[in-house]
Amino acid sequence: MSEELDDLYREVILDHTKHPRNFREIANPTRTADGHNRLCGDKLKVFVKLIGDKIEDLSFKGAGCSISTASASMMTEALKGKTLADAQDLFTRFHDVLTGPPDIATDAEDLGKLAAFHGVRKFPVRVKCATLAWHTLQAALKNDSTAVSTE
């Protein structure tokens, strides 16, 4: 990845850290789930409002590091209005870019702004920060009340 693209990605992550989108509690959510990254101290709760198989609204609350906060913010933007199948597909592609073999990781560009997290794969401890919100959303969509942990 070029240095200019890396700089742009850093700016995107910083913007979502300083000004997280959808950082609020949804009134009367259909589903919720709690997540905790014990290693970094990130804690968040994901709120989902489903209508049929569509994510009508999606938000989060909590406290975490810059990677965790930016990832949760960008996840909510990317998945609002999407179907459950779309959400599962994006989760898989995002997770593969961060944890999969290097040839999969090169396909990060098709993730749009979420490609900003491509460089996180170099830091396995930070991968847990970037994926916490996503795993927590998966639990919420499965209506699993067990708190998600990255351990």
Side-chain angles (χ1 to χ4, degrees):
M1 217 175 271
S2 74
E3 187 176 328
E4 289 144 1
L5 194 52
D6 282 343
D7 290 344
L8 175 63
Y9 285 159
R10 273 191 287 277
E11 286 178 33
V12 168
I13 289 173
L14 285 173
D15 180 49
H16 278 269
T17 298
K18 292 178 182 177
H19 310 287
R21 282 47 153 201
N22 303 301
F23 187 79
R24 60 186 166 75
E25 186 172 333
I26 294 173
N28 304 311
T30 310
R31 309 263 175 87
T32 64
D34 294 299
H36 186 204
N37 176 354
R38 296 186 199 307
L39 193 59
C40 191
D42 306 323
K43 283 187 176 185
L44 61 84
K45 184 169 193 153
V46 171
F47 303 89
V48 185
K49 185 167 275 194
L50 293 173
I51 295 183
D53 77 334
K54 184 178 175 186
I55 299 172
E56 185 69 22
D57 202 0
L58 179 59
S59 68
F60 74 104
K61 290 286 285 185
C65 70
S66 60
I67 297 294
S68 176
T69 300
S71 182
S73 175
M74 292 169 72
M75 175 192 76
T76 63
E77 280 196 320
L79 294 178
K80 256 205 243 186
K82 302 290 189 206
T83 66
L84 296 176
D86 292 337
Q88 183 59 51
D89 177 61
L90 190 54
F91 167 81
T92 300
R93 289 186 298 131
F94 181 76
H95 198 263
D96 284 350
V97 164
L98 293 177
T99 64
D103 60 325
I104 289 176
T106 59
D107 293 336
E109 286 74 27
D110 74 333
L111 292 175
K113 287 182 182 179
L114 291 167
F117 293 96
H118 177 265
V120 172
R121 73 179 281 115
K122 298 174 194 167
F123 309 97
V125 171
R126 304 301 280 170
V127 168
K128 293 179 179 194
C129 302
T131 59
L132 177 63
W134 294 81
H135 286 291
T136 306
L137 174 62
Q138 290 289 302
L141 295 177
K142 292 175 185 170
N143 215 12
D144 183 352
S145 62
T146 308
V148 173
S149 174
T150 56
E151 297 308 306

